[in-house]
Amino acid sequence: PAPTPGLVQRLTSAITVPGTWLKLCAPADLIAPWLPQDWAIDPPEFLMTAALVAEPAAAPPGYTLAVTTRAGVTAARLLTDAGEIAARGQMAVAGRAAVVDRVETAQAHRRRGLGTVVMRTLTATAVSRGATTGVLVATPEGRKLYESLGWRLCSPMTAAVLTEP
């Protein structure tokens, strides 16, 4: 939650496999000077959380909601009548927390409330499994959706990856 130059140096010197990611709760302009040259920083992200409350969610006309759970991970997908994925997301519960990941809406299907349906579906599933708090890392675009659903910002996130030498 509070990275220091020493911590970043310790972590980056221990990581030797290219393609390995490091995510830190701090803005990129703070972290960048601490990273060795062979690390690249992704666009900004945001750690967010919410108190989970189950709300009804239904697929709008022209879409079908498909929910599956495998190995403790629940995936929610909104499919078009042609079977294409229009929106999706996944979530896993760990104790009282639910971690939401990979929420996205296909470009051609945005601004139709599909992201809200996916999030409400995942939230209802998490609540049914005893989760009371949700956690996720958002992109700037996703942050707008999550804030509209009552999620709050905890910290800016820096995602850095070890590049090929």
Side-chain angles (χ1 to χ4, degrees):
T4 63
L7 174 64
V8 172
Q9 181 182 24
R10 216 168 33 256
L11 291 171
T12 56
S13 64
I15 297 170
T16 58
V17 178
T20 301
W21 287 89
L22 180 61
K23 290 199 174 191
L24 301 160
C25 294
D29 59 348
L30 176 70
I31 299 299
W34 303 344
L35 291 172
Q37 247 184 333
D38 50 351
W39 285 80
I41 293 178
D42 250 17
E45 296 180 327
F46 306 92
L47 179 65
M48 300 184 78
T49 189
L52 299 179
V53 177
E55 296 182 58
Y63 298 94
T64 301
L65 179 61
V67 181
T68 58
T69 301
R70 196 169 290 136
V73 177
T74 297
R77 297 176 296 147
L78 282 166
L79 307 171
T80 66
D81 290 337
E84 298 169 336
I85 298 173
R88 65 179 163 192
Q90 63 185 26
M91 172 272 310
V93 174
R96 307 291 270 161
V99 180
V100 177
D101 188 33
R102 298 182 187 230
V103 175
E104 62 181 320
T105 302
Q107 184 70 35
H109 300 276
R110 292 186 180 166
R111 305 283 177 249
R112 299 179 189 180
L114 303 184
T116 297
V117 172
V118 167
M119 288 298 294
R120 286 186 176 165
T121 299
L122 295 174
T123 297
T125 301
V127 169
S128 75
R129 293 192 182 142
T132 57
T133 302
V135 180
L136 60 78
V137 176
T139 63
E141 189 174 61
R143 179 180 173 182
K144 294 173 190 174
L145 166 66
Y146 306 129
E147 285 178 336
S148 76
L149 296 172
W151 289 69
R152 65 177 179 80
L153 175 67
C154 290
S155 173
M157 293 288 296
T158 297
V161 62
L162 179 59
T163 60
E164 293 287 338

